[in-house]
Amino acid sequence: GGRDSHFSSDGIPKVVSDVGLPSQKTMLQLFFERVVRVMHIINRYRVREAGAGASSKSTSMKTRMTVSIPIYIMCNEENKQILTEFLEQHKYFGVDAQDVLCFSQDYLPVLDAETGKYLLADKNAIHMYPNGNGGLFKGLHDGGVLSDVKCRGITGVFCMNSDNLLTKVADPEFLGFARLLNLDAGVKTIPRLTPSDLLGIYCHYSKTVRK
């Protein structure tokens, strides 16, 4: 989501831009490849745990053991088509197309930081801007993602920012730790070094989670 202003100013989504890696891989490709790797590890583990003695049914067992991890990508109206076409062009980097869903976030009016008044895009229109990662939860609902999650029987979701190249996608250790402690939610984060760091902020609002 967002306008990619932290990383790119030419309108190209940061996740499909060249970030200068020797491999020339985009961040989106790396994220998808990491998901594929996690699926491979899970499938290999489940087949192995099924145990010996199933040689006569090994093929059908491996089929039943296949695990898929759906990927939900929050976009805005301007980059959704770019991302969708990029994924189609690269055959979703090995992920089943049915397991990838791009959904749009809402837009909010832009206010002047000093006066608090609405800014205009032109004489007859208020300037609108994607509502950022704070609009994730409403976007999940309005974009049909929650319905898809329910239909798939998913019990846990790993959420990440698209501009964090070092993210350990679907981190099994972190997810397992959160499940072990029976947590409703877990967060991995680092403190800001300076107030101007472009990092999100986690805070309490009346000791409750606010949408």
Side-chain angles (χ1 to χ4, degrees):
R3 276 277 175 81
D4 304 312
S5 56
H6 293 179
F7 190 86
S8 174
S9 60
D10 56 6
I12 300 176
K14 49 183 168 265
V15 290
V16 300
S17 302
D18 185 352
V19 293
L21 295 176
S23 64
Q24 297 185 324
K25 292 181 179 181
T26 63
M27 290 193 287
L28 193 62
Q29 179 176 353
L30 289 174
F31 295 149
F32 269 63
E33 288 179 350
R34 290 170 186 172
V35 171
V36 171
R37 175 60 178 166
V38 172
M39 288 192 291
H40 173 73
I41 292 173
I42 295 172
N43 288 326
R44 185 176 60 185
Y45 173 79
R46 294 184 68 180
V47 170
R48 186 175 68 244
E49 286 297 300
S55 57
S56 61
K57 301 179 180 180
S58 58
T59 301
S60 60
M61 178 173 292
K62 288 181 180 180
T63 301
R64 293 198 305 271
M65 288 295 175
T66 299
V67 172
S68 63
I69 299 177
I71 300 175
Y72 306 106
I73 305 175
M74 186 168 74
C75 314
N76 59 54
E77 294 175 0
E78 298 169 18
N79 65 21
K80 185 176 181 180
Q81 183 175 352
I82 298 175
L83 290 170
T84 301
E85 291 178 352
F86 181 82
L87 289 170
E88 291 175 349
Q89 179 184 352
H90 293 86
K91 301 186 185 302
Y92 297 88
F93 300 105
V95 177
D96 193 319
Q98 295 181 346
D99 290 330
V100 181
L101 173 61
C102 294
F103 64 99
S104 298
Q105 63 187 136
D106 281 344
Y107 279 60
L108 292 175
V110 179
L111 305 179
D112 185 284
E114 295 183 359
T115 65
K117 295 182 178 180
Y118 292 116
L119 296 179
L120 298 179
D122 56 48
K123 185 173 64 174
N124 300 311
I126 295 176
H127 186 53
M128 305 294 288
Y129 202 84
N131 61 5
N133 53 27
L136 171 65
F137 301 105
K138 188 174 187 300
L140 289 172
H141 177 272
D142 295 348
V145 175
L146 296 184
S147 297
D148 188 73
V149 166
K150 184 176 181 180
C151 290
R152 292 174 180 266
I154 295 173
T155 59
V157 176
F158 182 90
C159 179
M160 53 170 281
N161 293 331
S162 62
D163 52 3
N164 187 354
L165 185 59
L166 300 180
T167 298
K168 193 172 183 180
V169 184
D171 182 355
E173 186 175 3
F174 176 69
L175 292 174
F177 181 71
R179 177 61 63 88
L180 182 65
L181 296 181
N182 198 29
L183 300 177
D184 291 328
V187 177
K188 288 201 298 185
T189 185
I190 59 175
R192 289 187 175 193
L193 297 179
T194 66
S196 60
D197 283 350
L198 295 176
L199 296 174
I201 298 176
Y202 291 94
C203 57
H204 287 286
Y205 181 86
S206 299
K207 298 184 178 180
T208 60
V209 177
R210 188 184 188 194
K211 280 190 177 182

